Amino acid sequence: VWQCLLGIVIVLPLSFLIPQRPVVMEWQMFSGVLYLGVIATGVGWLLWMAVVSRVSATLAGMSSLGVPALTVLLAWLLLDEWPTQLELMGTGLILLGLFVVNWPSRSRKS
C-alpha cells in the first residue's frame, strides 16, 4: 500500500505540470482500469499470498527477484527479441545472486 501512496504523491503533481490530452471516459478506459485494478493486481496478490503460504517468505521474495531474468528469456522465446550482451550479463548476475542467496548453508553444528 505504501508503494501506491508514494506513487500518487510523486505522480499526481506531475500530472498537473505536464501538458496532456484530456481523459476520454469511454468503455476502453474503464475496461483497462478494471483489468489493471482487479484482474492484474488482485489476482496477482492472491497468487502471491498462495505462494507465501506454501514456502517461506524469504524464498518467495528471493525467487521473485528472478522475474527480470525470466522476462528476458520469455522475450527471446516468445517475441524473438534477442538480448544484448549487457542484458545477458545482467541476467547472469541475477541468476548467480539467486543461486548464492538460496544455496543451503553448509555450516557445521558443534
Side-chain angles (χ1 to χ4, degrees), residues 52-102:
V52 172
S53 70
R54 289 174 174 76
V55 298
S56 70
T58 303
L59 179 62
M62 287 296 122
S63 298
S64 72
L65 296 176
V67 170
L70 182 63
T71 303
V72 170
L73 177 67
L74 289 175
W76 175 48
L77 294 175
L78 300 176
L79 304 174
D80 201 30
E81 292 183 8
W82 290 86
T84 64
Q85 190 174 17
L86 188 60
E87 289 171 334
L88 288 174
M89 289 172 29
T91 300
L93 287 173
I94 289 170
L95 294 175
L96 179 65
L98 288 172
F99 180 75
V100 168
V101 168
N102 290 314

Side-chain angles (χ1 to χ4, degrees), residues 25-40:
M25 302 295 233
E26 293 183 357
W27 70 270
Q28 293 96 337
M29 192 232 8
F30 287 113
S31 61
V33 169
L34 181 68
Y35 169 77
L36 289 172
V38 176
I39 298 172

Side-chain angles (χ1 to χ4, degrees), residues 35-49:
Y35 169 77
L36 289 172
V38 176
I39 298 172
T41 304
V43 172
W45 274 106
L46 289 174
L47 290 172
W48 176 252
M49 291 300 143

